[in-house]
Amino acid sequence: MKEAGPRRERPRIVVMGGGTGLSVMLRGLKEKPLDITAIVTVADDGGSSGILRNELQMPPPGDIRNVLTALADVEPLLSDMLNYRFNTGAGLAGHSLGNLILAAMTDISGDFVTAVRELSRVFAVRGEVLPAAGQAVILHAEMEDGSIVTGESKIPEAGLRIKRVFLEPDHVEPLPEAVEAIRQADAILIGPGSLYTSILPNLLVPKLAEAVVEANAVKMFICNVMTQPGETDNYTVSDHLKAVHEHVGHQLFDYVIVNNGDIPLQVQNKYAEKGAKPVVLDMNVLKSAGYQVVADTLVLFRTYLRHDADKLSHHIYQLVQNWMLRKR
């Protein structure tokens, strides 16, 4: 057995999820002295990712592209190019350039994981980006009326309350590197992102969930600011955590990081038109369940509500530093 060497000075942090929220958070975290590994869902089946997944038999590249772009140490123009989405052209319309580059690199290298690794090197990514599994998975949802909805992109559109989600195949193997990163982590962050279609698909990969449960790390849940129509309608913060607990079978988290800042009424009204509203912070329920809560004004509004990446990363870094001091 290989002897453990001296621990690195930079804390090792694993971030799990997918979607825009994860990318926003990573833009802040990459400025901290942290050794970051991002483990990203491969359940996406909509839009450009879904087309490439089906036509090229590859894992969906969209969430991976977003994370690569967020962690890349490149000029803003290159980030804009990677996220550029073609609006016209037979076969091109709807595709992002970054997705096509990932598809090309997968074909060149013969392997999606190698493609991600090589692009990480080319784009000077600050950290490591790993798909949760080396193959695409199909996400199913059992609704409270007993019906089954298949497909990550179709689940929120069903208009029914979700009882549980599950993967096909149900015993999908994670990347060994992802499992090892979790085992070696000093901190594990889960969220923000779509609860049932971005966060839980990672934790439904059996060995990933087991590794998180067993890891000697401080574990944090970063809750969404707004509910998501078709997924978390009327959910409180504790409802999010309850869903994770019911799927994994364990209360995973030491800390819950939440927004308690006011959201302007005109912004709430804009989101209400699409059926979304602020996630209610039910502090007493969280504390009675044993969670430590970090609450602050964590939102910014430009075109959309987003987490304040600087403030969020500050809180995360403080928690990680405190954990490292206690471990010594």
Side-chain angles (χ1 to χ4, degrees), residues 20-62:
T20 306
L22 178 65
S23 301
V24 169
M25 181 176 69
L26 287 171
R27 292 182 192 278
L29 283 178
K30 76 176 182 181
E31 302 301 330
K32 302 294 184 183
L34 296 167
D35 186 347
I36 300 171
T37 299
I39 300 174
V40 186
T41 180
V42 286
D44 191 5
D45 66 354
S48 171
S49 285
I51 293 169
L52 293 172
R53 165 183 173 146
N54 292 332
E55 293 188 355
L56 302 180
Q57 300 301 302
M58 63 178 285

Side-chain angles (χ1 to χ4, degrees), residues 13-32 34 36-38 66-67 70-71 188-193 220-223 257 298 306-317:
I13 184 168
V14 168
V15 184
M16 302 175 70
T20 306
L22 178 65
S23 301
V24 169
M25 181 176 69
L26 287 171
R27 292 182 192 278
L29 283 178
K30 76 176 182 181
E31 302 301 330
K32 302 294 184 183
L34 296 167
I36 300 171
T37 299
N66 283 332
V67 170
L71 288 174
I188 298 170
L189 274 63
I190 295 178
M220 309 175 210
F221 182 78
I222 295 87
C223 192
I257 301 177
L298 296 175
R306 294 284 184 257
H307 276 97
D308 183 326
D310 291 336
K311 290 181 74 172
L312 181 58
S313 60
H314 170 76
H315 283 295
I316 291 168
Y317 187 61

Side-chain angles (χ1 to χ4, degrees), residues 174-189:
L175 291 185
E177 301 98 311
V179 175
E180 187 60 24
I182 293 170
R183 287 176 177 161
Q184 296 294 326
D186 298 304
I188 298 170
L189 274 63

Side-chain angles (χ1 to χ4, degrees), residues 195 200 203 221 240-249 252-253:
L195 177 63
L200 282 170
L203 295 172
F221 182 78
H240 286 75
L241 293 159
K242 181 182 176 184
V244 175
H245 192 172
E246 288 177 347
H247 280 77
V248 178
L252 292 181
F253 307 106

Side-chain angles (χ1 to χ4, degrees), residues 315-328:
H315 283 295
I316 291 168
Y317 187 61
Q318 289 296 317
L319 292 175
V320 173
Q321 282 190 311
N322 292 341
W323 172 258
M324 297 298 288
L325 288 172
R326 290 200 299 269
K327 284 180 71 174
R328 288 174 183 166

Side-chain angles (χ1 to χ4, degrees), residues 17-328:
T20 306
L22 178 65
S23 301
V24 169
M25 181 176 69
L26 287 171
R27 292 182 192 278
L29 283 178
K30 76 176 182 181
E31 302 301 330
K32 302 294 184 183
L34 296 167
D35 186 347
I36 300 171
T37 299
I39 300 174
V40 186
T41 180
V42 286
D44 191 5
D45 66 354
S48 171
S49 285
I51 293 169
L52 293 172
R53 165 183 173 146
N54 292 332
E55 293 188 355
L56 302 180
Q57 300 301 302
M58 63 178 285
D63 283 335
I64 292 280
R65 181 202 81 241
N66 283 332
V67 170
L68 286 172
T69 305
L71 288 174
D73 191 11
V74 295
E75 294 296 325
L77 179 59
L78 183 53
S79 293
D80 291 342
M81 285 175 58
L82 291 172
N83 288 325
Y84 175 76
R85 197 171 295 274
F86 294 92
N87 295 313
T88 58
L92 271 179
H95 282 297
S96 73
L97 181 59
N99 285 1
L100 296 176
I101 291 173
L102 265 169
M105 187 61 78
T106 300
D107 198 38
I108 291 167
S109 67
D111 175 71
F112 183 67
V113 177
T114 303
V116 173
R117 188 172 291 121
E118 288 300 312
L119 283 178
S120 296
R121 182 179 57 80
V122 170
F123 296 141
V125 164
R126 299 189 196 179
E128 187 170 18
V129 181
L130 299 171
Q135 67 183 93
V137 296
I138 299 171
L139 186 66
H140 303 279
E142 179 186 355
M143 303 304 191
E144 287 199 341
D145 68 353
S147 62
I148 303 294
V149 178
T150 296
E152 178 268 348
S153 61
K154 295 181 176 61
I155 291 168
E157 298 174 354
L160 299 167
R161 194 168 177 87
I162 300 168
K163 181 179 180 182
R164 68 182 182 105
V165 288
F166 56 99
L167 297 181
E168 180 187 338
D170 57 351
H171 292 298
V172 62
E173 285 290 320
L175 291 185
E177 301 98 311
V179 175
E180 187 60 24
I182 293 170
R183 287 176 177 161
Q184 296 294 326
D186 298 304
I188 298 170
L189 274 63
I190 295 178
S194 300
L195 177 63
Y196 288 101
T197 55
S198 290
I199 293 173
L200 282 170
N202 291 304
L203 295 172
L204 292 174
V205 178
K207 292 180 183 177
L208 285 187
E210 291 168 12
V212 172
V213 170
E214 295 170 1
N216 180 25
V218 60
K219 299 163 192 175
M220 309 175 210
F221 182 78
I222 295 87
C223 192
N224 293 339
V225 175
M226 304 295 289
T227 62
Q228 183 170 351
E231 285 203 39
T232 55
D233 299 282
N234 300 313
Y235 270 37
T236 63
V237 175
S238 69
D239 288 330
H240 286 75
L241 293 159
K242 181 182 176 184
V244 175
H245 192 172
E246 288 177 347
H247 280 77
V248 178
H250 292 270
Q251 184 165 308
L252 292 181
F253 307 106
D254 304 299
Y255 292 93
V256 183
I257 301 177
V258 297
N259 172 63
N260 68 350
D262 291 332
I263 298 171
L265 187 59
Q266 66 269 26
V267 177
Q268 292 191 43
N269 290 338
K270 178 178 178 179
Y271 273 81
E273 292 173 2
K274 297 183 179 180
K277 61 184 182 180
V279 174
V280 173
L281 171 54
D282 46 349
M283 184 71 81
N284 291 335
V285 178
L286 294 172
K287 289 188 173 179
S288 66
Y291 295 109
Q292 298 183 71
V293 181
V294 176
D296 195 359
T297 301
L298 296 175
V299 289
L300 294 173
F301 178 73
R302 293 187 178 99
T303 306
Y304 300 97
L305 272 175
R306 294 284 184 257
H307 276 97
D308 183 326
D310 291 336
K311 290 181 74 172
L312 181 58
S313 60
H314 170 76
H315 283 295
I316 291 168
Y317 187 61
Q318 289 296 317
L319 292 175
V320 173
Q321 282 190 311
N322 292 341
W323 172 258
M324 297 298 288
L325 288 172
R326 290 200 299 269
K327 284 180 71 174
R328 288 174 183 166

